[in-house]
């Protein structure tokens, strides 16, 4: 290998590692936000907007449990990304997709919060999809 290709390979690995850490931080934040949102919905339903005639209308406590569980698993997957676990890369993309869908479906209940978490999830998916598979280049 020439010095130029070795330098390029090292730079590519550094960028991929940086994007993975970026995605892990974003997933950790999104997971914590969803966890807290779940706690709020379970404990204090009056924090959320009342939305009559919504197609995906659930009891807010039901939405709270959904977000609480999604948030806990998202935090666990983010920890797996920090530890460079092989399972975490793919599961993080899948879980960020589930978080994105859940926040889209609960958009009428807390619009700004849902949009923020949806954006974080989109960044997680982007960061992990552009960094390549876990352990690539080793």
């Amino acid at each position: 290998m020439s010095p130029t290709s070795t330098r390029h390979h090292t730079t590519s690995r550094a960028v991929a590692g940086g994007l993975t850490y970026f995605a892990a931080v974003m997933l950790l934040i999104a997971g914590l936000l969803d966890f807290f949102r779940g706690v709020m919905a379970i404990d204090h339903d009056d924090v959320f907007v009342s939305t009559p005639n919504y197609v995906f209308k659930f009891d807010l406590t039901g939405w709270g449990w959904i977000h609480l569980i999604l948030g806990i698993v998202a935090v666990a997957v983010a920890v797996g990304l920090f530890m460079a676990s092989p399972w975490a890369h793919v599961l993080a993309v899948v879980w960020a997709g589930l978080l994105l869908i859940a926040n889209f479906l609960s958009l009428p209940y807390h619009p700004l919060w849902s949009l923020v978490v949806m954006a974080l999830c989109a960044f997680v998916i982007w960061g992990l999809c552009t960094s390549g598979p876990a352990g690539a280049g080793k």
Side-chain angles (χ1 to χ4, degrees):
M1 228 189 249
S2 69
T4 306
S5 66
T6 304
R7 194 174 327 125
H8 176 69
H9 183 69
T10 304
T11 303
S12 296
R13 284 180 50 195
V15 168
L19 283 173
T20 301
Y21 283 121
F22 169 78
V25 170
M26 292 295 108
L27 186 60
L28 181 69
I29 292 169
L32 287 173
L33 288 175
D34 245 34
F35 171 80
F36 292 132
R37 181 184 197 174
V39 170
M40 283 185 345
I42 292 167
D43 194 36
H44 297 292
D45 287 6
D46 57 346
V47 179
F48 293 87
V49 176
S50 177
T51 332
N53 303 325
Y54 181 52
V55 175
F56 300 106
K57 185 176 182 177
F58 289 138
D59 175 43
L60 283 177
T61 304
W63 273 119
W65 282 107
I66 290 169
H67 285 287
L68 183 77
I69 292 167
L70 286 172
I72 290 170
V73 175
V75 169
V77 172
V79 170
L81 281 174
F82 282 121
M83 296 173 25
S85 297
W87 54 267
H89 199 94
V90 173
L91 189 58
V93 173
V94 171
W95 211 257
L98 288 174
L99 280 171
L100 199 146
I101 292 167
N103 279 282
F104 173 75
L105 293 176
S106 62
L107 194 60
Y109 298 109
H110 214 292
L112 184 59
W113 193 312
S114 292
L115 288 174
V116 167
V117 175
M118 288 169 62
L120 290 173
C121 292
F123 281 125
V124 169
I125 294 168
W126 170 81
L128 291 173
C129 288
T130 58
S131 69
K138 289 185 180 177

